[in-house]
Amino acid sequence: MERTKIADVLKMSTYGDTIEVKGWVRTRRGNKQVHFIALNDGSTVHNLQIVVDIERFGEEFLKPVTTGACIRVTGQLVQSRGQGQKVEIQAGEMHVYGGADPLTYPLQKKGHSLEFLREIAHLRPRTNTFGAVFRIRHHMAMAVHTFFHERGFFYFHTPIITGSDCEGAGQMFQVTTQNLYDLKKEANGTILYDRDFFGKQTSLTVSGQLEGELAAMALGAIYTFGPTFRAENSNTPRHLAEFWMIEPEVAFNEIADNMQLAEDFIKYCLQWALDHCMDDILFLSERFDKELVERLHFVLKQNFIRLAYTEGIRILEEAVAKGHTFEFPVYWGVDLASEHERYLVEEHFKCPVILTDYPKEIKSFYMKQNEDGKTVRAMDVLFPKIGEIIGGSQREEDYDRLSARAKEMEVPEKDIWWYLDTRRFGTAPHSGFGLGFERLLLFVTGMANIRDVIPFPRTPNNAEF
């Protein structure tokens, strides 16, 4: 008989039908006459109740059917007499694929802390919480692809191994096949890479943006969606060493177009979550964030505020003058901290903010400079509870200005000659941004720590699984 997923069984009303389900036991309870098994197969946050006649199966047969065991059940679909579910299955046949020793199985009925579950990341997808999180993660990925596909963007695959540092921060994981105990070096101690696999120093990418720009200048509108890596020794709830980035790049878009694309994109994703993941969102809201659903609807209804960095600084300085205390100082030229961003969003405007026209000294070399000579056409989308969720800019399309700025910021031209070349041949205005996928998931799920929205978090001193 063909298996029916529990998500589909719970929608059925064809009482009397014989169906087959497979899944993992959440709980088993009962008396000498009948036992009730809560079964879950990962297709939904809701469990299916299996009613087991003890006389039919025998207590000995049911001994291995404990929390964590995997079973197959064939039985009759009936209307449930108990509260909490409309249907249940009267078990006719049962097969145990694999038991779970209740003395050693770490996921028992009692509640477990999120910190503990990170230590058993190989098992935590079996919990209701992480089943919900990872189903939402899937749906958000589908939303990303659908949004861009419907708007004529092309999905472009950028390299994971790269010889350039897009952000210029130097916090990259090196890729090498050399013997680290016997490195070939020059007299001054500099490592020689001529024997290495690529014949040069290479690293894991921090962004697909530079390559994405090349594609946009040929295909018009593209997006990347893939893993990126940053060797930043940070243990905050908002940082990972390995994370996923969505990066659209669009030819002929200027900064205003870029801001509108970002707002449309993120609203589309939030609406998709409400349309496709409501059971999981309600489950997470009840346990972790009572205001989650209200906040998702609130953001969808708001027009994002466009705010110049200089005006944002003025607002923050006024707040300080009126007695508000920030941990980090506020002054023109500072790279805003999360507390500054959240003040603008949560306390001053009470809606998402797109901050623009940042000082050029705190932004990357590729951003287009404004006529004032002090600021660049950067944009950060700031969200409640998260702070920055999107960062982007209009890119500098002028060869001389881009080349000069790269030299100012000591970006080696030998590493980006191909990037500069696109400004020599048929250059055009273009813009793009990057959205950290896990930060989007933090907002949609209501989880507080970014390590809880990715299956296997990579953080300092943690690459266990």
Side-chain angles (χ1 to χ4, degrees):
M1 179 177 290
E2 185 176 348
R3 168 202 172 203
T4 304
K5 290 186 177 181
I6 288 175
D8 296 325
V9 174
L10 295 175
K11 299 173 185 175
M12 296 172 66
S13 58
T14 52
Y15 305 123
D17 282 4
T18 299
I19 60 175
E20 180 178 276
V21 292
K22 301 174 183 180
W24 292 268
V25 176
R26 288 284 195 259
T27 61
R28 194 187 94 202
R29 60 183 175 82
N31 52 44
K32 292 184 178 181
Q33 286 77 43
V34 63
H35 276 209
F36 301 94
I37 296 171
L39 194 68
N40 191 285
D41 64 1
S43 62
T44 173
V45 73
H46 302 297
N47 300 325
L48 174 65
Q49 182 162 282
I50 311 295
V51 183
V52 182
D53 187 324
I54 298 300
E55 184 177 346
R56 180 185 183 94
F57 288 92
E59 292 186 7
E60 192 66 26
F61 177 84
L62 291 174
K63 277 186 178 180
V65 184
T66 59
T67 297
C70 186
I71 63 174
R72 179 187 72 220
V73 178
T74 305
Q76 190 176 56
L77 183 74
V78 298
Q79 191 168 6
S80 180
R81 298 179 182 178
Q83 294 182 342
Q85 65 274 328
K86 294 181 180 179
V87 298
E88 59 190 22
I89 290 181
Q90 295 279 357
E93 298 178 10
M94 188 183 306
H95 173 75
V96 180
Y97 288 116
D101 182 358
L103 297 178
T104 58
Y105 184 59
L107 295 176
Q108 294 300 319
K109 187 177 179 180
K110 65 177 184 177
H112 299 288
S113 71
L114 296 176
E115 291 79 6
F116 169 73
L117 293 175
R118 288 178 209 137
E119 298 173 3
I120 53 168
H122 60 305
L123 293 174
R124 70 176 183 167
R126 296 192 189 183
T127 65
N128 287 332
T129 293
F130 287 96
V133 168
F134 297 141
R135 280 188 294 271
I136 292 173
R137 187 179 173 103
H138 158 78
H139 279 287
M140 287 297 90
M142 292 299 297
V144 169
H145 288 299
T146 305
F147 174 87
F148 287 116
H149 178 71
E150 288 178 348
R151 286 155 182 78
F153 283 66
F154 298 104
Y155 182 27
F156 191 75
H157 298 142
T158 55
I160 290 175
I161 299 173
T162 179
S164 60
D165 181 358
C166 175
E167 298 300 322
Q171 297 168 328
M172 303 180 76
F173 291 100
Q174 285 199 44
V175 175
T176 182
T177 56
Q178 292 198 76
N179 180 352
L180 299 182
Y181 298 100
D182 185 25
L183 290 173
K184 183 181 177 184
K185 299 180 180 180
E186 294 183 358
N188 63 3
T190 303
I191 297 172
L192 289 171
Y193 289 93
D194 57 348
R195 292 183 182 177
D196 211 348
F197 187 89
F198 294 105
K200 62 181 292 186
Q201 183 177 352
T202 55
S203 304
L204 298 178
T205 186
V206 299
S207 169
Q209 177 202 314
L210 302 188
E211 294 87 353
E213 285 187 52
L214 314 184
M217 298 301 285
L219 300 173
I222 67 95
Y223 71 104
T224 75
F225 186 8
T228 51
F229 309 84
R230 197 158 298 177
E232 183 177 359
N233 190 17
S234 176
N235 275 297
T236 77
R238 300 170 64 242
H239 290 90
L240 291 166
E242 177 185 325
F243 53 99
W244 285 64
M245 286 284 286
I246 300 132
E247 299 176 289
E249 292 289 335
V250 189
F252 314 116
N253 266 16
E254 300 198 25
I255 190 66
D257 307 304
N258 205 35
M259 290 190 282
Q260 191 61 50
L261 178 66
E263 180 174 346
D264 292 345
F265 171 56
I266 206 160
K267 284 183 174 179
Y268 184 94
C269 290
L270 298 189
Q271 188 63 59
W272 185 285
L274 291 170
D275 291 343
H276 295 85
C277 311
M278 187 54 84
D279 282 352
D280 288 322
I281 288 173
L282 289 173
F283 174 86
L284 294 173
S285 175
E286 180 65 28
R287 284 154 182 79
F288 299 102
D289 187 346
K290 303 292 186 183
E291 300 174 350
L292 176 59
V293 177
E294 181 184 351
R295 191 164 57 251
L296 292 172
H297 282 292
F298 175 77
V299 169
L300 280 170
K301 294 175 184 177
Q302 301 301 310
N303 292 321
F304 294 6
I305 295 290
R306 272 69 165 163
L307 181 72
Y309 170 91
T310 299
E311 179 64 13
I313 291 295
R314 185 191 64 77
I315 292 169
L316 293 169
E317 288 177 335
E318 283 185 359
V320 172
K322 292 176 181 177
H324 191 92
T325 302
F326 292 111
E327 180 182 355
F328 297 99
V330 176
Y331 56 90
W332 198 95
V334 71
D335 195 358
L336 295 183
S338 178
E339 61 174 342
H340 304 140
E341 297 167 341
R342 292 184 61 180
Y343 176 85
L344 293 171
V345 171
E346 296 171 12
E347 299 189 43
H348 188 83
F349 289 105
K350 294 181 169 42
C351 71
V353 172
I354 306 181
L355 205 60
T356 65
D357 300 317
Y358 282 80
K360 67 179 183 180
E361 284 76 18
I362 61 173
K363 289 298 182 180
S364 298
F365 76 96
Y366 49 73
M367 296 188 180
K368 184 174 182 62
Q369 295 186 47
N370 287 317
E371 297 304 318
D372 60 15
K374 299 191 303 180
T375 61
V376 291
R377 295 184 190 177
M379 52 161 267
D380 286 346
V381 180
L382 312 181
F383 253 42
K385 292 199 74 175
I386 302 295
E388 180 196 336
I389 194 169
I390 284 178
S393 70
Q394 183 172 340
R395 317 310 191 187
E396 181 58 73
E397 78 271 17
D398 182 86
Y399 176 87
D400 293 330
R401 285 189 175 188
L402 182 63
S403 178
R405 188 64 181 142
K407 289 174 183 175
E408 283 179 26
M409 299 187 71
E410 299 181 349
V411 178
E413 188 166 328
K414 66 180 179 60
D415 293 336
I416 59 165
W417 64 267
W418 45 272
Y419 182 71
L420 294 170
D421 247 14
T422 59
R423 275 67 173 179
R424 296 175 58 220
F425 307 117
T427 191
H430 60 288
S431 299
F433 61 79
L435 167 66
F437 189 46
E438 283 73 26
R439 291 198 180 179
L440 172 64
L441 288 166
L442 280 179
F443 190 77
V444 173
T445 62
M447 302 300 281
N449 195 311
I450 202 164
R451 303 174 194 195
D452 296 326
V453 294
I454 191 169
F456 303 103
R458 296 289 179 255
T459 54
N461 300 312
N462 181 26
E464 185 65 27
F465 302 95

